[in-house]
Amino acid sequence: MVTAGQALGVLWTLPNTLVGLLAGAAGLPFGARARFSRRDFAIVFQHWPWGPGGAITFGNSILHTGATLDADCVTYEHRAGLCRHPPIRLGDHERAHVLQYMVLGPLFLPVYLLSGGISVRNPFERAADRYAMTGRGWWPGAMADER
């Protein structure tokens, strides 16, 4: 069952979700497949044909170049050589971004880009990694970032 807060979050981030839906739909003729994931609270486009690999989230839509969000990946801090973390589930990381989008709505992308973009410096990425590792702390600063 969807709560009132979740419904408001979905509406608030709808402009971002539409960007993801348009990009995902553009990939359908090239092999992308769409499905709704209750677990990730998003429409997931798997086998999305463009990008360097991995996934990107726009509101309640996730564009993923692979076959499943159950794939393991490494954290941004691990990849940057700052520490060693066990592998995380890609879908858990992207779900944290879905939740972040639902809070910031159309403000998410500008705030995200001003916070460092796709990099280990970005507190939104570190929070998404933390959430994927622990199941808690998807909001930046919700728990102290560990280094």
Side-chain angles (χ1 to χ4, degrees):
M1 182 172 191
V2 176
T3 68
Q6 289 170 325
L8 287 173
V10 168
L11 287 174
W12 175 228
T13 198
L14 187 58
N16 298 307
T17 302
L18 292 174
V19 169
L21 292 176
L22 289 171
L28 292 174
F30 301 96
R33 298 290 174 257
R35 67 174 181 80
F36 179 73
S37 170
R38 282 187 68 181
R39 179 179 184 184
D40 300 308
F41 209 66
I43 297 170
V44 179
F45 290 88
Q46 296 169 293
H47 300 289
W48 196 66
W50 302 290
I56 188 167
T57 298
F58 293 99
N60 293 92
S61 60
I62 301 171
L63 309 176
H64 176 46
T65 59
T68 177
L69 287 175
D70 287 329
D72 285 342
C73 65
V74 297
T75 67
Y76 278 83
E77 289 179 306
H78 184 104
R79 185 177 313 140
L82 300 176
C83 63
R84 295 190 57 79
H85 285 144
I88 59 172
R89 179 183 172 271
L90 180 60
D92 294 335
H93 177 96
E94 297 306 320
R95 183 179 330 112
H97 289 316
V98 168
L99 297 170
Q100 293 165 355
Y101 267 102
M102 289 171 65
V103 170
L104 288 177
L107 303 175
F108 179 83
L109 285 173
V111 170
Y112 176 89
L113 293 172
L114 289 171
S115 297
I118 302 171
S119 76
V120 69
R121 294 182 318 275
N122 192 323
F124 289 95
E125 291 298 350
R126 289 194 314 273
D129 283 344
R130 180 178 56 238
Y131 178 77
M133 284 188 291
T134 67
R136 307 180 285 128
W138 54 265
W139 187 255
M143 299 170 58
D145 284 329
E146 297 175 16
R147 290 230 183 238

